[in-house]
Amino acid sequence: MTGLVAAERGIGETGLVDALPEFVVVAFAAVTHLADPWFLFALLAVGYWFASEGVAGSPRRAGATAVAAVTCAYAATALGKAWFAVPRPPGAMGPAEVPTWLPALLSGWYEAQVLSDGFGFPSGHATGGAAAYLALALLYDRFWTDRARYLAAGAVAVAVAVSRVVIEVHYLVDVLAGLAVGAGTVAVALWLAGDPRVRRSASATAAAGPTARLNPAPAFLLAAVVSAGALAVAVAGGHTGEVVEAGIGIATGAGGAIGWRFVDGDEPAVPVRVAVPALAVTGGLWVGAYALADSLPVTLVATTAAVVAVVALPALAERVEPSLRGSGEA
């Protein structure tokens, strides 16, 4: 839309990638799963539901803030893609060159990884990966050492970004922008949540740590607002795919803010026997949301319900678990 990002924005990386051995490309096609949206949100939900005080002073507040930060990152991605509206590299359009030595079972998987439609700037995988792993490293501040967490987060985020270039679904500039946007949205989300490290405040005591007073609701609401902007841009440009993504962003941001209203922030970890059926329900809602993407209202309702359930579950579990325990003893 703006013309600020060129359609032909490669700097010679395609030639380098074409010279790589096939097994390297296949390996990076697997690495890219580490920032698939389904994987990241599943990882973040597991951390939010099950993390203990051994990994964060206030694990529920830390986990919800990580979810909010990644939601902001995807909202920014949706806005960027709709605004710049530039294509992916030609290799992403197909046909795919599947290595002949790959088993038939993996051929379809590989083809699905190296072919992609939609717009290319910024990279959603690079943005989401940078946001998710940086947020986890910052918020779960009692796990490992600071150095180990930051190195691990950086290594995974960079590996994902490289994978998107190697499988030729993004140019180098797309993933560099994604890494920057992902890191930037984490900083904004943590500032909105009240993280004293970002606000340069000493309000949190050393014993409680920086997660003690986090409030993810403002970051969730920001994601909804940015997604609404992305929706307006996508509708104006006639970008159907981005309309759906922006709508899901609105629902995710709103659902997170609504769900957090039920949570005190100091709940214990969710019991497994509560989490398993909850996962089945929320997973079904997520699948339904994407399967019915042609019906945007249904997608929005299903997504909102799923996110409300995920975020509110720690509070719900406190109410449900005693009754489950009582029925089990009876």
Side-chain angles (χ1 to χ4, degrees):
M1 178 178 286
T2 64
L4 295 176
V5 177
E8 297 295 332
R9 55 197 183 279
I11 57 173
E13 64 269 40
T14 302
L16 295 175
V17 168
D18 288 340
L20 292 174
E22 286 182 335
F23 77 89
V24 173
V25 180
V26 172
F28 274 109
V31 169
T32 202
H33 283 303
L34 293 174
D36 282 351
W38 67 266
F39 178 82
L40 291 182
F41 278 110
L43 177 65
L44 294 167
V46 167
Y48 173 57
W49 287 352
F50 300 122
S52 69
E53 292 182 0
V55 297
S58 181
R60 246 45 68 203
R61 292 181 182 275
T65 302
V67 176
V70 175
T71 304
C72 286
Y74 281 122
T77 301
L79 178 59
K81 287 190 174 183
W83 185 267
F84 295 107
V86 290
R88 295 176 183 269
M93 301 298 106
E97 296 181 5
V98 181
T100 56
W101 49 268
L102 264 184
L105 186 63
L106 294 179
S107 296
W109 161 80
Y110 179 80
E111 187 171 2
Q113 294 305 108
V114 300
L115 297 181
S116 188
D117 55 9
F119 298 126
F121 183 91
S123 164
H125 276 71
T127 305
Y133 294 109
L134 177 58
L136 291 173
L138 286 167
L139 293 165
Y140 292 130
D141 60 316
R142 295 183 178 179
F143 184 71
W144 292 349
T145 64
D146 289 350
R147 179 183 176 84
R149 292 197 315 277
Y150 299 151
L151 285 176
V156 176
V158 170
V160 168
V162 171
S163 76
R164 304 303 285 173
V165 177
V166 169
I167 64 176
E168 297 189 63
V169 295
H170 281 292
Y171 292 107
L172 179 61
V173 67
D174 300 343
V175 300
L176 292 178
L179 292 173
V181 171
T185 52
V186 168
V188 172
L190 265 60
W191 187 87
L192 288 172
D195 191 313
R197 296 167 298 181
V198 180
R199 294 196 172 192
R200 302 185 182 277
S201 166
S203 60
T205 64
T211 63
R213 299 180 183 177
L214 292 178
N215 176 14
F220 276 125
L221 291 174
L222 174 65
V225 170
V226 173
S227 295
L231 179 64
V233 174
V235 169
H239 309 314
T240 306
E242 279 59 44
V243 167
V244 174
E245 294 299 322
I248 290 174
I250 295 171
T252 304
I258 294 169
W260 185 252
R261 290 181 63 86
F262 297 96
V263 181
D264 292 330
D266 58 357
E267 288 84 358
V270 177
V272 173
R273 63 176 178 170
V274 174
V276 170
L279 183 62
V281 171
T282 55
L285 287 170
W286 276 112
V287 171
Y290 278 93
L292 299 172
D294 290 338
S295 177
L296 188 58
V298 175
T299 297
L300 297 183
V301 170
T303 302
T304 303
V307 178
V308 169
V310 168
V311 177
L313 187 62
L316 178 63
E318 279 201 316
R319 297 174 174 84
V320 171
E321 179 64 9
S323 61
L324 289 177
R325 190 182 300 113
S327 63
E329 291 172 354

